[in-house]
mmCIF file of all heavy atoms in Angstrom:
data_model
loop_
_atom_site.group_PDB
_atom_site.id
_atom_site.type_symbol
_atom_site.label_atom_id
_atom_site.label_comp_id
_atom_site.label_asym_id
_atom_site.label_seq_id
_atom_site.Cartn_x
_atom_site.Cartn_y
_atom_site.Cartn_z
ATOM 1 N N ALA A 1422 24.509 -66.966 110.273
ATOM 2 C CA ALA A 1422 23.715 -68.090 110.876
ATOM 3 C C ALA A 1422 24.628 -69.049 111.612
ATOM 4 O O ALA A 1422 24.359 -69.463 112.720
ATOM 5 C CB ALA A 1422 22.836 -68.732 109.827
ATOM 6 N N LYS A 1423 25.722 -69.382 110.943
ATOM 7 C CA LYS A 1423 26.627 -70.372 111.527
ATOM 8 C C LYS A 1423 27.403 -69.789 112.712
ATOM 9 O O LYS A 1423 27.569 -70.479 113.730
ATOM 10 C CB LYS A 1423 27.596 -70.854 110.407
ATOM 11 C CG LYS A 1423 28.617 -71.862 110.926
ATOM 12 C CD LYS A 1423 29.572 -72.320 109.770
ATOM 13 C CE LYS A 1423 30.581 -73.286 110.299
ATOM 14 N NZ LYS A 1423 31.504 -73.749 109.158
ATOM 15 N N LYS A 1424 27.863 -68.577 112.544
ATOM 16 C CA LYS A 1424 28.743 -67.976 113.603
ATOM 17 C C LYS A 1424 27.932 -67.712 114.876
ATOM 18 O O LYS A 1424 28.460 -67.912 115.998
ATOM 19 C CB LYS A 1424 29.304 -66.655 113.065
ATOM 20 C CG LYS A 1424 30.291 -66.004 114.058
ATOM 21 C CD LYS A 1424 30.974 -64.837 113.451
ATOM 22 C CE LYS A 1424 31.931 -64.161 114.481
ATOM 23 N NZ LYS A 1424 32.688 -63.029 113.870
ATOM 24 N N TYR A 1425 26.700 -67.270 114.751
ATOM 25 C CA TYR A 1425 25.903 -66.864 115.935
ATOM 26 C C TYR A 1425 24.830 -67.883 116.311
ATOM 27 O O TYR A 1425 24.016 -67.615 117.178
ATOM 28 C CB TYR A 1425 25.285 -65.516 115.713
ATOM 29 C CG TYR A 1425 26.341 -64.447 115.562
ATOM 30 C CD1 TYR A 1425 26.591 -63.897 114.296
ATOM 31 C CD2 TYR A 1425 27.053 -63.936 116.591
ATOM 32 C CE1 TYR A 1425 27.573 -62.899 114.083
ATOM 33 C CE2 TYR A 1425 28.012 -62.932 116.475
ATOM 34 C CZ TYR A 1425 28.247 -62.427 115.162
ATOM 35 O OH TYR A 1425 29.208 -61.465 115.014
ATOM 36 N N GLY A 1426 24.787 -69.021 115.631
ATOM 37 C CA GLY A 1426 23.812 -70.046 115.953
ATOM 38 C C GLY A 1426 22.392 -69.622 115.631
ATOM 39 O O GLY A 1426 21.464 -70.038 116.387
ATOM 40 N N ARG A 1427 22.190 -68.904 114.601
ATOM 41 C CA ARG A 1427 20.850 -68.434 114.227
ATOM 42 C C ARG A 1427 20.346 -69.254 113.019
ATOM 43 O O ARG A 1427 21.121 -69.921 112.338
ATOM 44 C CB ARG A 1427 20.850 -66.949 113.846
ATOM 45 C CG ARG A 1427 21.312 -66.011 114.961
ATOM 46 C CD ARG A 1427 21.440 -64.602 114.442
ATOM 47 N NE ARG A 1427 21.968 -63.747 115.500
ATOM 48 C CZ ARG A 1427 22.324 -62.424 115.283
ATOM 49 N NH1 ARG A 1427 22.158 -61.908 114.066
ATOM 50 N NH2 ARG A 1427 22.769 -61.713 116.276
ATOM 51 N N SER A 1428 19.080 -69.184 112.803
ATOM 52 C CA SER A 1428 18.492 -69.799 111.616
ATOM 53 C C SER A 1428 18.804 -68.890 110.429
ATOM 54 O O SER A 1428 19.092 -67.726 110.611
ATOM 55 C CB SER A 1428 16.978 -70.003 111.781
ATOM 56 O OG SER A 1428 16.314 -68.706 111.741
ATOM 57 N N LEU A 1429 18.702 -69.463 109.243
ATOM 58 C CA LEU A 1429 18.928 -68.655 108.042
ATOM 59 C C LEU A 1429 17.938 -67.509 107.918
ATOM 60 O O LEU A 1429 18.253 -66.371 107.568
ATOM 61 C CB LEU A 1429 18.832 -69.541 106.805
ATOM 62 C CG LEU A 1429 19.959 -70.536 106.593
ATOM 63 C CD1 LEU A 1429 19.712 -71.438 105.408
ATOM 64 C CD2 LEU A 1429 21.311 -69.803 106.426
ATOM 65 N N GLU A 1430 16.658 -67.769 108.374
ATOM 66 C CA GLU A 1430 15.661 -66.699 108.297
ATOM 67 C C GLU A 1430 15.987 -65.604 109.302
ATOM 68 O O GLU A 1430 15.823 -64.417 109.014
ATOM 69 C CB GLU A 1430 14.274 -67.286 108.597
ATOM 70 C CG GLU A 1430 13.148 -66.267 108.553
ATOM 71 C CD GLU A 1430 13.131 -65.453 107.265
ATOM 72 O OE1 GLU A 1430 13.414 -66.012 106.186
ATOM 73 O OE2 GLU A 1430 12.817 -64.240 107.293
ATOM 74 N N GLN A 1431 16.441 -65.965 110.507
ATOM 75 C CA GLN A 1431 16.811 -64.946 111.482
ATOM 76 C C GLN A 1431 17.979 -64.069 110.935
ATOM 77 O O GLN A 1431 17.998 -62.841 111.124
ATOM 78 C CB GLN A 1431 17.188 -65.608 112.809
ATOM 79 C CG GLN A 1431 16.049 -66.176 113.579
ATOM 80 C CD GLN A 1431 16.493 -66.956 114.787
ATOM 81 O OE1 GLN A 1431 17.519 -67.622 114.753
ATOM 82 N NE2 GLN A 1431 15.731 -66.888 115.854
ATOM 83 N N ALA A 1432 19.001 -64.739 110.375
ATOM 84 C CA ALA A 1432 20.083 -63.988 109.817
ATOM 85 C C ALA A 1432 19.674 -63.073 108.684
ATOM 86 O O ALA A 1432 20.114 -61.946 108.550
ATOM 87 C CB ALA A 1432 21.160 -64.983 109.319
ATOM 88 N N ALA A 1433 18.748 -63.601 107.834
ATOM 89 C CA ALA A 1433 18.277 -62.774 106.697
ATOM 90 C C ALA A 1433 17.470 -61.621 107.197
ATOM 91 O O ALA A 1433 17.540 -60.485 106.650
ATOM 92 C CB ALA A 1433 17.422 -63.661 105.786
ATOM 93 N N ASP A 1434 16.713 -61.804 108.311
ATOM 94 C CA ASP A 1434 15.942 -60.757 108.846
ATOM 95 C C ASP A 1434 16.835 -59.645 109.410
ATOM 96 O O ASP A 1434 16.540 -58.446 109.310
ATOM 97 C CB ASP A 1434 15.011 -61.283 109.982
ATOM 98 C CG ASP A 1434 14.129 -60.179 110.506
ATOM 99 O OD1 ASP A 1434 13.344 -59.605 109.723
ATOM 100 O OD2 ASP A 1434 14.184 -59.903 111.743
ATOM 101 N N GLY A 1435 17.980 -60.120 109.997
ATOM 102 C CA GLY A 1435 18.926 -59.093 110.489
ATOM 103 C C GLY A 1435 19.513 -58.240 109.361
ATOM 104 O O GLY A 1435 19.699 -57.025 109.528
ATOM 105 N N GLU A 1436 19.758 -58.872 108.263
ATOM 106 C CA GLU A 1436 20.229 -58.136 107.064
ATOM 107 C C GLU A 1436 19.182 -57.125 106.607
ATOM 108 O O GLU A 1436 19.497 -55.994 106.252
ATOM 109 C CB GLU A 1436 20.597 -59.139 105.944
ATOM 110 C CG GLU A 1436 21.955 -59.723 106.068
ATOM 111 C CD GLU A 1436 23.083 -58.693 105.869
ATOM 112 O OE1 GLU A 1436 23.286 -58.267 104.701
ATOM 113 O OE2 GLU A 1436 23.673 -58.268 106.844
ATOM 114 N N ARG A 1437 17.925 -57.518 106.585
ATOM 115 C CA ARG A 1437 16.894 -56.598 106.221
ATOM 116 C C ARG A 1437 16.760 -55.408 107.189
ATOM 117 O O ARG A 1437 16.539 -54.236 106.737
ATOM 118 C CB ARG A 1437 15.531 -57.357 106.148
ATOM 119 C CG ARG A 1437 15.408 -58.277 104.924
ATOM 120 C CD ARG A 1437 14.033 -58.815 104.757
ATOM 121 N NE ARG A 1437 13.677 -59.789 105.805
ATOM 122 C CZ ARG A 1437 13.836 -61.078 105.715
ATOM 123 N NH1 ARG A 1437 14.404 -61.625 104.641
ATOM 124 N NH2 ARG A 1437 13.481 -61.858 106.732
ATOM 125 N N GLN A 1438 16.938 -55.660 108.420
ATOM 126 C CA GLN A 1438 16.929 -54.587 109.411
ATOM 127 C C GLN A 1438 18.088 -53.630 109.234
ATOM 128 O O GLN A 1438 17.951 -52.378 109.302
ATOM 129 C CB GLN A 1438 16.938 -55.129 110.834
ATOM 130 C CG GLN A 1438 15.665 -55.879 111.225
ATOM 131 C CD GLN A 1438 15.718 -56.403 112.639
ATOM 132 O OE1 GLN A 1438 16.238 -55.770 113.542
ATOM 133 N NE2 GLN A 1438 15.211 -57.593 112.827
ATOM 134 N N LEU A 1439 19.241 -54.197 108.936
ATOM 135 C CA LEU A 1439 20.428 -53.317 108.682
ATOM 136 C C LEU A 1439 20.221 -52.526 107.410
ATOM 137 O O LEU A 1439 20.586 -51.366 107.334
ATOM 138 C CB LEU A 1439 21.705 -54.181 108.527
ATOM 139 C CG LEU A 1439 22.268 -54.797 109.815
ATOM 140 C CD1 LEU A 1439 23.290 -55.850 109.485
ATOM 141 C CD2 LEU A 1439 22.909 -53.614 110.604
ATOM 142 N N GLY A 1440 19.619 -53.175 106.371
ATOM 143 C CA GLY A 1440 19.310 -52.440 105.185
ATOM 144 C C GLY A 1440 18.398 -51.205 105.403
ATOM 145 O O GLY A 1440 18.582 -50.184 104.807
ATOM 146 N N ALA A 1441 17.408 -51.457 106.233
ATOM 147 C CA ALA A 1441 16.485 -50.348 106.511
ATOM 148 C C ALA A 1441 17.120 -49.201 107.240
ATOM 149 O O ALA A 1441 16.923 -48.041 106.931
ATOM 150 C CB ALA A 1441 15.309 -50.910 107.408
ATOM 151 N N ALA A 1442 18.041 -49.569 108.176
ATOM 152 C CA ALA A 1442 18.799 -48.501 108.912
ATOM 153 C C ALA A 1442 19.705 -47.756 107.964
ATOM 154 O O ALA A 1442 19.842 -46.523 108.071
ATOM 155 C CB ALA A 1442 19.591 -49.131 110.061
ATOM 156 N N ALA A 1443 20.327 -48.509 107.053
ATOM 157 C CA ALA A 1443 21.224 -47.854 106.076
ATOM 158 C C ALA A 1443 20.464 -46.920 105.169
ATOM 159 O O ALA A 1443 20.876 -45.812 104.891
ATOM 160 C CB ALA A 1443 21.989 -48.915 105.298
ATOM 161 N N ASN A 1444 19.355 -47.409 104.676
ATOM 162 C CA ASN A 1444 18.490 -46.578 103.797
ATOM 163 C C ASN A 1444 18.012 -45.346 104.476
ATOM 164 O O ASN A 1444 17.968 -44.252 103.868
ATOM 165 C CB ASN A 1444 17.282 -47.400 103.335
ATOM 166 C CG ASN A 1444 17.633 -48.541 102.415
ATOM 167 O OD1 ASN A 1444 16.839 -49.512 102.235
ATOM 168 N ND2 ASN A 1444 18.829 -48.556 101.839
ATOM 169 N N GLU A 1445 17.665 -45.453 105.767
ATOM 170 C CA GLU A 1445 17.232 -44.275 106.519
ATOM 171 C C GLU A 1445 18.360 -43.230 106.609
ATOM 172 O O GLU A 1445 18.113 -42.017 106.657
ATOM 173 C CB GLU A 1445 16.795 -44.717 107.948
ATOM 174 C CG GLU A 1445 16.232 -43.568 108.767
ATOM 175 C CD GLU A 1445 15.794 -44.030 110.147
ATOM 176 O OE1 GLU A 1445 15.799 -45.244 110.396
ATOM 177 O OE2 GLU A 1445 15.424 -43.182 110.954
ATOM 178 N N ALA A 1446 19.607 -43.716 106.685
ATOM 179 C CA ALA A 1446 20.732 -42.807 106.728
ATOM 180 C C ALA A 1446 21.141 -42.237 105.358
ATOM 181 O O ALA A 1446 22.043 -41.436 105.250
ATOM 182 C CB ALA A 1446 21.921 -43.506 107.385
ATOM 183 N N GLY A 1447 20.477 -42.763 104.296
ATOM 184 C CA GLY A 1447 20.779 -42.323 102.959
ATOM 185 C C GLY A 1447 21.767 -43.166 102.245
ATOM 186 O O GLY A 1447 22.407 -42.684 101.238
ATOM 187 N N LEU A 1448 21.918 -44.405 102.659
ATOM 188 C CA LEU A 1448 22.877 -45.317 102.084
ATOM 189 C C LEU A 1448 22.183 -46.462 101.314
ATOM 190 O O LEU A 1448 21.077 -46.871 101.675
ATOM 191 C CB LEU A 1448 23.740 -45.983 103.165
ATOM 192 C CG LEU A 1448 24.701 -45.020 103.945
ATOM 193 C CD1 LEU A 1448 25.305 -45.781 105.097
ATOM 194 C CD2 LEU A 1448 25.777 -44.473 103.080
ATOM 195 N N GLU A 1449 22.819 -46.895 100.253
ATOM 196 C CA GLU A 1449 22.345 -48.108 99.534
ATOM 197 C C GLU A 1449 22.801 -49.346 100.290
ATOM 198 O O GLU A 1449 23.846 -49.369 100.921
ATOM 199 C CB GLU A 1449 22.879 -48.129 98.131
ATOM 200 C CG GLU A 1449 22.431 -46.980 97.251
ATOM 201 C CD GLU A 1449 23.023 -47.122 95.836
ATOM 202 O OE1 GLU A 1449 22.694 -48.140 95.139
ATOM 203 O OE2 GLU A 1449 23.826 -46.299 95.472
ATOM 204 N N TYR A 1450 21.955 -50.399 100.287
ATOM 205 C CA TYR A 1450 22.312 -51.597 100.986
ATOM 206 C C TYR A 1450 21.579 -52.759 100.330
ATOM 207 O O TYR A 1450 20.365 -52.827 100.267
ATOM 208 C CB TYR A 1450 21.874 -51.513 102.426
ATOM 209 C CG TYR A 1450 22.479 -52.572 103.342
ATOM 210 C CD1 TYR A 1450 23.555 -52.218 104.169
ATOM 211 C CD2 TYR A 1450 21.989 -53.853 103.433
ATOM 212 C CE1 TYR A 1450 24.121 -53.164 105.036
ATOM 213 C CE2 TYR A 1450 22.538 -54.813 104.261
ATOM 214 C CZ TYR A 1450 23.616 -54.462 105.063
ATOM 215 O OH TYR A 1450 24.174 -55.418 105.907
ATOM 216 N N VAL A 1451 22.422 -53.752 99.846
ATOM 217 C CA VAL A 1451 21.848 -54.966 99.239
ATOM 218 C C VAL A 1451 21.596 -55.996 100.377
ATOM 219 O O VAL A 1451 22.528 -56.349 101.072
ATOM 220 C CB VAL A 1451 22.819 -55.570 98.191
ATOM 221 C CG1 VAL A 1451 22.294 -56.857 97.623
ATOM 222 C CG2 VAL A 1451 23.043 -54.549 97.039
ATOM 223 N N THR A 1452 20.362 -56.426 100.556
ATOM 224 C CA THR A 1452 20.031 -57.210 101.702
ATOM 225 C C THR A 1452 20.123 -58.711 101.441
ATOM 226 O O THR A 1452 19.921 -59.540 102.376
ATOM 227 C CB THR A 1452 18.597 -56.895 102.210
ATOM 228 O OG1 THR A 1452 17.668 -57.132 101.128
ATOM 229 C CG2 THR A 1452 18.534 -55.428 102.650
ATOM 230 N N SER A 1453 20.412 -59.134 100.244
ATOM 231 C CA SER A 1453 20.594 -60.538 99.972
ATOM 232 C C SER A 1453 21.672 -60.776 98.916
ATOM 233 O O SER A 1453 21.879 -59.902 98.080
ATOM 234 C CB SER A 1453 19.249 -61.163 99.464
ATOM 235 O OG SER A 1453 18.898 -60.605 98.215
ATOM 236 N N GLY A 1454 22.371 -61.902 99.019
ATOM 237 C CA GLY A 1454 23.379 -62.183 98.052
ATOM 238 C C GLY A 1454 24.800 -61.647 98.345
ATOM 239 O O GLY A 1454 25.721 -61.986 97.620
ATOM 240 N N ARG A 1455 24.922 -60.867 99.424
ATOM 241 C CA ARG A 1455 26.285 -60.353 99.722
ATOM 242 C C ARG A 1455 27.175 -61.475 100.255
ATOM 243 O O ARG A 1455 26.732 -62.466 100.768
ATOM 244 C CB ARG A 1455 26.185 -59.274 100.816
ATOM 245 C CG ARG A 1455 25.483 -58.011 100.411
ATOM 246 C CD ARG A 1455 25.805 -56.801 101.332
ATOM 247 N NE ARG A 1455 25.587 -57.100 102.719
ATOM 248 C CZ ARG A 1455 26.564 -57.311 103.612
ATOM 249 N NH1 ARG A 1455 27.827 -57.284 103.206
ATOM 250 N NH2 ARG A 1455 26.264 -57.546 104.865
ATOM 251 N N ASP A 1456 28.482 -61.225 100.103
ATOM 252 C CA ASP A 1456 29.422 -62.229 100.570
ATOM 253 C C ASP A 1456 30.297 -61.618 101.674
ATOM 254 O O ASP A 1456 30.248 -60.410 101.953
ATOM 255 C CB ASP A 1456 30.294 -62.815 99.427
ATOM 256 C CG ASP A 1456 31.259 -61.775 98.839
ATOM 257 O OD1 ASP A 1456 30.962 -60.563 98.927
ATOM 258 O OD2 ASP A 1456 32.245 -62.223 98.299
ATOM 259 N N SER A 1457 31.142 -62.461 102.281
ATOM 260 C CA SER A 1457 32.091 -62.018 103.284
ATOM 261 C C SER A 1457 33.384 -62.756 103.099
ATOM 262 O O SER A 1457 33.404 -63.792 102.397
ATOM 263 C CB SER A 1457 31.544 -62.193 104.727
ATOM 264 O OG SER A 1457 31.368 -63.580 104.949
ATOM 265 N N GLY A 1458 34.452 -62.373 103.728
ATOM 266 C CA GLY A 1458 35.735 -63.015 103.574
ATOM 267 C C GLY A 1458 36.872 -62.289 104.286
ATOM 268 O O GLY A 1458 36.616 -61.385 105.103
ATOM 269 N N ASN A 1459 38.072 -62.632 103.949
ATOM 270 C CA ASN A 1459 39.225 -62.051 104.583
ATOM 271 C C ASN A 1459 39.496 -60.646 104.025
ATOM 272 O O ASN A 1459 39.433 -60.443 102.787
ATOM 273 C CB ASN A 1459 40.473 -62.908 104.260
ATOM 274 C CG ASN A 1459 41.715 -62.541 104.999
ATOM 275 O OD1 ASN A 1459 42.281 -61.456 104.688
ATOM 276 N ND2 ASN A 1459 42.136 -63.319 105.933
ATOM 277 N N SER A 1460 39.649 -59.700 104.918
ATOM 278 C CA SER A 1460 39.783 -58.315 104.475
ATOM 279 C C SER A 1460 41.181 -57.728 104.574
ATOM 280 O O SER A 1460 41.360 -56.512 104.420
ATOM 281 C CB SER A 1460 38.798 -57.412 105.337
ATOM 282 O OG SER A 1460 39.134 -57.535 106.703
#
């Protein structure tokens, strides 16, 4: 939301869409509560 200037709901919706695409490919995907950081 901060990086791309989106609302929290828009960012959360993007995560849900990614989760659906991952599930369709046979992958598990947690759509809320994930974190990010230095890799």
